[in-house]
């Protein structure tokens, strides 16, 4: 198993998030982390990332693969709950940062039609607001804790 420090030297942004400030973290378990990524400061944008360096979905081990769907569902639900967004997107690309991660983005009513679907990524340059993004983390954390720990969505231990 690779450690994050093995890949920090190569510039893996996702591995470097192991040092992300606690104030940016929605949750961490042994396999996954959901967090706000400094530099991607659109309010309602979070990353769900595997905690070890695994490239692409094909690089996930059986436990990571088995738990990905639940963690993605719970983080997307928490972001939706905290923001009241009518749509929350889950996007996986992996070209710029090949470490497996998914971008969870809340799409508010105020987002114009030409910035919806894949075009929502244009909001990074147009709507970055680090302070507003940071203020949203505690509400998403509370919603995540309620949704993921309600017994309806337990992960195997």
């Amino acid at each position: 198993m690779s450690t994050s420090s093995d890949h920090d030297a190569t510039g893996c942004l996702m591995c470097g998030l192991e040092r992300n400030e606690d104030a940016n973290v929605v949750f961490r378990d042994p396999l996954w982390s959901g967090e706000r990524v400094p530099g991607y400061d659109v309010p309602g944008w979070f990353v769900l990332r595997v905690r070890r360096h695994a490239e692409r979905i094909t690089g996930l081990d059986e436990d990571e693969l088995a738990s990905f769907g639940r963690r993605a569902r719970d983080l997307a639900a928490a972001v939706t709950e905290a923001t009241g967004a009518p749509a929350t997107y889950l996007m996986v690309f992996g070209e710029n940062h090949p470490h497996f991660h998914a971008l969870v983005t809340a799409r508010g009513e105020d987002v114009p039609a030409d910035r919806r679907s894949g075009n929502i990524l244009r909001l990074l340059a147009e709507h970055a607001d680090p302070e507003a993004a940071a203020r949203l983390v505690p509400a998403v954390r509370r919603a995540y804790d309620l949704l993921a720990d309600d017994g309806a969505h337990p992960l195997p231990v």
Side-chain angles (χ1 to χ4, degrees):
M1 176 184 211
S2 299
T3 66
S4 62
S5 60
D6 293 338
H7 297 282
D8 289 346
T10 64
C12 180
L13 173 68
M14 295 299 137
C15 285
L17 290 174
E18 282 297 311
R19 295 184 308 274
N20 203 353
E21 295 179 20
D22 288 344
N24 292 324
V25 176
V26 172
F27 82 92
R28 280 198 176 136
D29 68 24
L31 302 177
W32 295 99
S33 184
E35 56 207 293
R36 182 178 77 86
V37 179
Y40 292 82
D41 295 310
V42 177
W45 286 25
F46 293 86
V47 165
L48 174 64
R49 67 177 178 84
V50 66
R51 293 192 64 192
R52 70 174 183 95
H53 189 81
E55 295 188 9
R56 299 174 197 77
I57 197 165
T58 56
L60 298 179
D61 67 25
E62 292 303 314
D63 291 337
E64 292 159 346
L65 192 58
S67 57
F68 170 66
R70 288 187 191 119
R71 289 300 181 229
R73 176 192 59 199
D74 292 346
L75 183 58
V79 170
T80 302
E81 177 73 22
T83 63
T88 302
Y89 304 144
L90 177 74
M91 297 177 279
V92 177
F93 299 105
E95 285 181 290
N96 293 332
H97 306 291
H99 180 128
F100 184 75
H101 65 286
L103 180 61
V104 177
T105 59
R107 196 270 299 151
E109 292 286 355
D110 61 328
V111 174
D114 68 340
R115 293 296 185 262
R116 294 181 183 190
S117 296
N119 289 331
I120 198 165
L121 296 174
R122 293 182 180 172
L123 295 182
L124 180 57
E126 300 168 358
H127 287 79
D129 184 341
E131 292 168 1
R135 283 193 306 270
L136 191 55
V137 174
V140 174
R141 187 181 303 124
R142 283 189 301 275
Y144 183 88
D145 287 345
L146 289 172
L147 292 164
D149 293 337
D150 69 359
H153 306 168
L155 284 172
V157 255

